[in-house]
Amino acid sequence: MLEARLQDGVVLKKVLDALKDLINEANFDCNETGLSLQAMDNAHVALVSLLIKAESFDPFRCDRSLSLGISLTSLSKILKCSGPSDVLTLKASDQIDTLHIMFEGKDSERVSEFDLKLMDIDSEHLGIPDTEYDVCVNMCSLEFQRICRDLSVLGESVTIECSKESIKFSANGDIGSGAIQIKQGATIDEKKELTTTINVNTPVLATYSLKYLVNFTKATGLSDVVNLSISNELPIVVEYKVSELGYIRYFLAPKIGDDEE
Amino acid sequence: MLEARLQDGVVLKKVLDALKDLINEANFDCNETGLSLQAMDNAHVALVSLLIKAESFDPFRCDRSLSLGISLTSLSKILKCSGPSDVLTLKASDQIDTLHIMFEGKDSERVSEFDLKLMDIDSEHLGIPDTEYDVCVNMCSLEFQRICRDLSVLGESVTIECSKESIKFSANGDIGSGAIQIKQGATIDEKKELTTTINVNTPVLATYSLKYLVNFTKATGLSDVVNLSISNELPIVVEYKVSELGYIRYFLAPKIGDDEE
DNA sequence: TTGCGTGGAA
DNA sequence: TTCCACGCAA
């Protein structure tokens, strides 16, 4: 049995916006830790890992682990029916194959309730090794989104080159080429959490599909900040904080060899 | 001979937006009372009744009754050529088979004139009995629009259940089900005219096509408030005030039996 | 609130 | 292929 009440319901709306274009359906795993989801995208190229910790909810009750097979498309549609300041409550029981979703406006003068049919979804629980990465970059999420979007005009791939001094994004294609370089310590609006911070063990140089990175930046609304964890031989991790305590992480393997593709 | 000058020309623009998706062509009846229109929608399912009282215009002159067969699609296109604060004048004579439409900007520095060809349209003047309804609900038009749009994600039909305490809209379909309940007296923004007010003679429970209701809410821009008149056995009436003195009313029969459709 | 661009239907 | 309607952005 799950009961989880989220004061700021809009967070879940944003989470679904950040998932639904990549993944049509997935299992939400509920246990005492909170809600989590791990799934490959529809094309089985990228991996998405979501965690919303129990502490994000109040109350949060989940006495037994539950795996809820959810059509993210449908859940997203239902969440769009909530108002911008609604309180959201999720309920599920072991017996019933629906997820109950409730939105309450102020003073509960307006209450909307929905039941989403659950599905059986094969889950392929990929363990993600908790690795040390060659480089960790903390930067303004809007700026990262802008860079990916801008470079996608030029080509299909972006090459990320990162040293202690700076991170450089570059792309090239038929119409030309472009590169955007941000120095360690660069600030935006003088907000210090938006400072670009680069931690380097080993410099990296790797190439990724821009289409996927642009897709990952659908999560930009969730956090002002994005964290990039990069190694030469491992998938890049693009992480956004969710609701202070949780996260959504996207994993994408670098392109190898043939950099024209 | 008709001559009618509307200070706030944008009202007629909105009226046409509220009509044109439902009805392609109809007769505008002009007499000393004002302008009125009654027509079934293209699919002959819903009935629309429009009245703009003579007092809405200044001046309003109509010495003899006229029935103007108008392509609402075309009239809407012409009205889109007016500016947001233009004064609008309609003129028609008994002899000429065109409607003359004039837009004047402030100080008449800009005058646009159009002539719309009139058409012969068979009119089927359905008398609408002035009935007492089981339930009358007054609510925020934007909220009603939102509810209809939201529920249309789930299914084709909405069931409206209304008692003294509250009005409940519910729908269900392949992806699940949902219900939105608003209590008598619920307020929006503390504006008192937007308070949900429910007057009940007999509680009602009836089901309607969401596609049509969503279409009716095209009139939302005309008024902050919508009035629903509902009876178990009669078509629902969805009414928006037009220009203080007039109205646009939509009539839609409930679905009967087969509630799966 | 209006205009633009995209997606769906005829 | 064209037109219309809807959703998103300015």
Side-chain angles (χ1 to χ4, degrees):
Chain A
M1 197 268 192
L2 165 77
E3 181 172 343
R5 184 182 168 98
L6 194 59
Q7 198 63 37
D8 187 11
V10 82
V11 166
L12 198 66
K13 225 194 249 193
K14 290 181 185 167
V15 165
L16 267 111
D17 283 339
L19 293 175
K20 69 173 207 303
D21 293 334
L22 225 37
I23 306 170
N24 293 336
E25 43 205 47
N27 286 308
F28 270 80
D29 297 312
C30 316
N31 56 43
E32 71 282 353
T33 321
L35 299 187
S36 64
L37 172 156
Q38 265 186 40
M40 299 295 287
D41 80 293
N42 298 325
H44 280 249
V45 172
L47 174 71
V48 182
S49 173
L50 168 75
L51 175 66
I52 311 179
K53 285 208 184 156
E55 293 87 335
S56 312
F57 301 92
D58 181 29
F60 183 86
R61 225 174 301 151
C62 185
D63 36 34
R64 189 137 47 98
S65 288
L66 272 178
S67 181
L68 308 174
I70 290 183
S71 155
L72 301 186
T73 317
S74 302
L75 178 56
S76 172
K77 281 179 185 165
I78 288 176
L79 291 177
K80 287 214 192 306
C81 303
S82 70
S85 53
D86 283 0
V87 175
L88 179 150
T89 307
L90 302 175
K91 285 185 195 172
S93 76
D94 305 338
Q95 296 82 37
I96 306 172
D97 63 344
T98 60
L99 173 66
H100 188 74
I101 303 151
M102 184 166 68
F103 309 126
E104 291 168 275
K106 75 164 166 58
D107 303 331
S108 304
E109 279 170 341
R110 181 187 203 273
V111 177
S112 327
E113 298 187 85
F114 295 83
D115 281 296
L116 174 66
K117 286 188 190 142
L118 298 176
M119 337 170 48
D120 260 326
I121 299 167
D122 290 337
S123 64
E124 7 157 24
H125 236 277
L126 299 176
I128 300 162
D130 198 4
T131 332
E132 179 92 346
Y133 286 85
D134 292 343
V135 166
C136 281
V137 180
N138 180 85
M139 65 185 288
C140 168
S141 61
L142 266 172
E143 179 152 38
F144 179 64
Q145 181 178 46
R146 182 69 199 272
I147 290 169
C148 293
R149 218 196 289 135
D150 287 353
L151 291 182
S152 67
V153 172
L154 295 174
E156 316 259 292
S157 309
V158 59
T159 297
I160 301 181
E161 192 174 354
C162 191
S163 67
K164 276 203 176 61
E165 291 75 35
S166 69
I167 181 166
K168 186 168 120 189
F169 302 85
S170 55
N172 65 74
D174 296 341
I175 71 171
S177 63
I180 295 155
Q181 184 161 17
I182 300 173
K183 291 200 179 133
Q184 148 72 25
T187 51
I188 305 239
D189 285 346
E190 286 154 9
K191 289 184 203 152
K192 64 170 171 292
E193 71 273 23
L194 299 188
T195 302
T196 302
T197 321
I198 307 175
N199 286 302
V200 177
N201 291 323
T202 313
V204 294
L205 174 69
T207 299
Y208 307 93
S209 153
L210 268 171
K211 187 178 123 223
Y212 277 91
L213 292 184
V214 167
N215 228 320
F216 298 168
T217 63
K218 299 263 162 72
T220 301
L222 283 163
S223 169
D224 290 340
V225 167
V226 62
N227 279 281
L228 309 178
S229 302
I230 314 173
S231 288
N232 281 307
E233 306 301 332
L234 291 171
I236 186 175
V237 186
V238 180
E239 173 180 314
Y240 298 85
K241 290 270 176 288
V242 173
S243 192
E244 302 306 315
L245 300 152
Y247 58 75
I248 181 166
R249 289 184 188 146
Y250 301 92
F251 297 78
L252 179 67
K255 293 190 171 189
I256 37 176
D258 183 357
D259 44 72
E260 289 308 295
E261 204 194 1
Chain B
M1 196 267 191
L2 167 77
E3 181 173 344
R5 183 182 168 99
L6 194 58
Q7 197 63 37
D8 186 11
V10 81
V11 167
L12 198 65
K13 226 194 245 191
K14 289 181 186 168
V15 165
L16 267 110
D17 283 339
L19 293 175
K20 71 174 203 311
D21 294 335
L22 225 37
I23 306 170
N24 293 337
E25 44 206 46
N27 287 308
F28 271 77
D29 297 312
C30 317
N31 56 43
E32 72 281 352
T33 321
L35 299 188
S36 65
L37 172 157
Q38 265 188 37
M40 299 295 288
D41 79 292
N42 298 325
H44 280 252
V45 173
L47 174 70
V48 183
S49 172
L50 168 75
L51 175 65
I52 312 179
K53 285 207 182 158
E55 293 88 335
S56 311
F57 301 93
D58 182 29
F60 183 87
R61 224 173 303 149
C62 184
D63 36 33
R64 188 135 50 99
S65 290
L66 272 178
S67 182
L68 309 173
I70 290 183
S71 156
L72 301 186
T73 317
S74 306
L75 178 55
S76 174
K77 282 178 185 160
I78 288 176
L79 291 176
K80 288 218 192 301
C81 304
S82 70
S85 52
D86 284 0
V87 176
L88 178 151
T89 307
L90 302 175
K91 285 186 196 173
S93 75
D94 305 338
Q95 296 80 37
I96 307 169
D97 63 343
T98 60
L99 173 67
H100 188 75
I101 302 150
M102 185 167 69
F103 309 126
E104 292 168 274
K106 75 165 167 57
D107 306 329
S108 306
E109 279 169 345
R110 182 186 201 273
V111 177
S112 334
E113 298 187 86
F114 296 82
D115 280 296
L116 174 67
K117 285 190 190 142
L118 298 177
M119 335 168 54
D120 259 326
I121 299 167
D122 290 337
S123 65
E124 8 157 23
H125 236 278
L126 299 176
I128 300 162
D130 196 3
T131 330
E132 178 93 343
Y133 286 85
D134 291 342
V135 166
C136 282
V137 180
N138 181 86
M139 65 184 288
C140 168
S141 61
L142 267 172
E143 179 151 39
F144 179 64
Q145 181 177 48
R146 182 72 199 272
I147 289 169
C148 292
R149 219 196 288 135
D150 284 354
L151 289 181
S152 66
V153 172
L154 295 173
E156 316 259 286
S157 308
V158 60
T159 297
I160 302 182
E161 192 175 352
C162 191
S163 67
K164 276 201 175 64
E165 290 75 35
S166 69
I167 181 166
K168 187 169 122 189
F169 302 85
S170 54
N172 65 76
D174 295 342
I175 72 169
S177 63
I180 296 157
Q181 184 161 18
I182 300 172
K183 293 193 182 143
Q184 147 73 25
T187 50
I188 305 240
D189 286 344
E190 284 150 11
K191 289 184 203 150
K192 62 171 173 291
E193 71 274 22
L194 300 188
T195 302
T196 302
T197 319
I198 307 175
N199 286 302
V200 177
N201 291 321
T202 313
V204 293
L205 175 70
T207 299
Y208 306 92
S209 153
L210 268 170
K211 188 178 122 222
Y212 277 92
L213 292 184
V214 167
N215 229 319
F216 298 169
T217 63
K218 300 264 163 70
T220 301
L222 283 164
S223 169
D224 290 339
V225 167
V226 63
N227 279 282
L228 310 177
S229 302
I230 314 174
S231 288
N232 282 305
E233 307 301 332
L234 292 171
I236 186 175
V237 187
V238 180
E239 174 180 314
Y240 298 84
K241 290 272 176 286
V242 173
S243 192
E244 301 307 315
L245 301 151
Y247 57 77
I248 181 166
R249 290 183 188 147
Y250 301 92
F251 298 78
L252 178 68
K255 292 191 172 189
I256 38 176
D258 183 359
D259 42 75
E260 289 307 292
E261 205 195 6

